[in-house]
Amino acid sequence: MDAVFAEAHQRRMVGPAESASVDSTGMDAGSRSSHYAWRTGQKRYALRRWPKLTLACHNTTHLLIDAIVSDGPSQDAPFFGRILKKAVRRLTIDRVLADAGYDAESNHVIAREQLGIRSSVIKLNRRGGRRWSRSRYRRQMYRRFHARVYRQRVQVESSISRFKRRLTCSLRGRSRTSQRHEVHLRILAYDLLLLAG
C-alpha cells in the first residue's frame, strides 16, 4: 500500500494538501449469496454478524488509503480515529469528511488537534434534548456547516460501490484474521487497477 501511494505521489496524482472521506460498509462472509441465504431461511442468521469495513478514501483519485475490519453491526464513530491515524501515514490530509454516524466531538479533536488536519466536516447527528451543543467543533458544525464541501463525501460511496463491483462483496476467509488479510489484498488490487487505468 505504501508503494501505491509513493507511485501516486510520483505521478502527481496526490499532493501536499488533500481531501479524504471516511465511511463504512458491510461484506458477506463466505461464498453463499444473500439470495441463497434468503431462500434457505438463513437470512436472519446471516444478518446477525458480518464483516464490517471502515474505509478512508482519497476524494480526487478514489484510491482507498486503508481499511479496518471489524464485526458488524456496530457503531461507526469509535473507528474514525483509528482509520484516520492509519490514513495520515500515507497521505497528507487537509480536510476529512464523514457522515452523521461519525458525529462526536472526540472525532473532531482527533482530526484537528492530534493529527493536524485543518478541517473536519462531519454531519451532525440530530439528537434529542439540547438544541445547541456545548462542545466547540460540533457547535461550529451547527453554526456554519459547509454543505457544498460535504457533498464531496459521495466520492467514498462511489469508491465502495466500484470496489464491490470489481472485486465482489463476498469474503472467502472464515476467521477475522484471514478476512483482514483478504481485505487488504483486495484494496491493494483495487488501487493498482486505478493506477493502471
Side-chain angles (χ1 to χ4, degrees):
M1 290 297 294
D2 292 335
V4 167
F5 278 87
E7 178 68 19
H9 276 285
Q10 193 173 353
R11 294 190 192 183
R12 297 186 180 176
M13 293 170 69
V14 297
E18 296 294 337
S19 177
S21 296
V22 173
D23 204 359
S24 61
T25 187
M27 301 288 280
D28 291 330
S31 55
R32 146 183 94 171
S33 70
S34 300
H35 178 71
Y36 173 79
W38 178 271
R39 290 294 300 269
T40 56
Q42 301 171 41
K43 184 72 174 176
R44 194 170 174 185
Y45 173 78
L47 291 175
R48 210 165 56 196
R49 185 174 173 271
W50 35 266
K52 175 182 172 179
L53 270 59
T54 302
L55 298 154
C57 167
H58 179 230
N59 288 342
T60 307
T61 62
H62 288 195
L63 288 168
L64 296 176
I65 308 166
D66 215 326
I68 292 172
V69 182
S70 59
D71 290 335
S74 62
Q75 282 192 327
D76 292 339
F79 295 97
F80 182 84
R82 287 176 56 194
I83 191 63
L84 211 52
K85 285 172 185 174
K86 295 175 81 172
V88 295
R89 295 178 193 153
R90 295 198 172 114
L91 189 71
T92 306
I93 299 173
D94 179 63
R95 175 182 286 131
V96 63
L97 313 172
D99 65 21
Y102 298 93
D103 177 31
E105 182 69 11
S106 59
N107 287 337
H108 288 285
V109 170
I110 289 167
R112 299 193 191 194
E113 297 178 14
Q114 294 181 20
L115 301 176
I117 296 170
R118 180 184 60 84
S119 172
S120 56
V121 182
I122 303 173
K123 190 170 185 178
L124 283 173
N125 185 349
R126 299 293 182 181
R127 299 165 183 151
R130 189 173 58 250
R131 180 174 176 145
W132 285 89
S133 172
R134 288 179 183 165
S135 52
R136 175 186 173 188
Y137 297 116
R138 291 192 72 246
R139 178 172 287 199
Q140 195 178 92
M141 292 295 103
Y142 185 89
R143 282 178 169 165
R144 48 185 176 90
F145 183 74
H146 301 289
R148 183 181 59 81
V149 171
Y150 178 75
R151 281 197 289 270
Q152 286 299 307
R153 195 195 66 81
V154 74
Q155 304 301 335
V156 70
E157 293 180 355
S158 178
S159 289
I160 289 170
S161 175
R162 189 192 295 183
F163 173 73
K164 286 184 170 183
R165 277 185 283 110
R166 283 190 167 186
L167 301 168
T168 78
C169 62
S170 295
L171 298 176
R172 300 189 72 83
R174 296 295 182 184
S175 68
R176 280 293 175 262
T177 303
S178 63
Q179 288 170 355
R180 198 171 295 117
H181 292 318
E182 186 178 347
V183 162
H184 285 97
L185 283 171
R186 287 194 191 193
I187 288 173
L188 178 59
Y190 172 84
D191 285 349
L192 288 171
L193 286 169
L194 287 182
L195 286 178

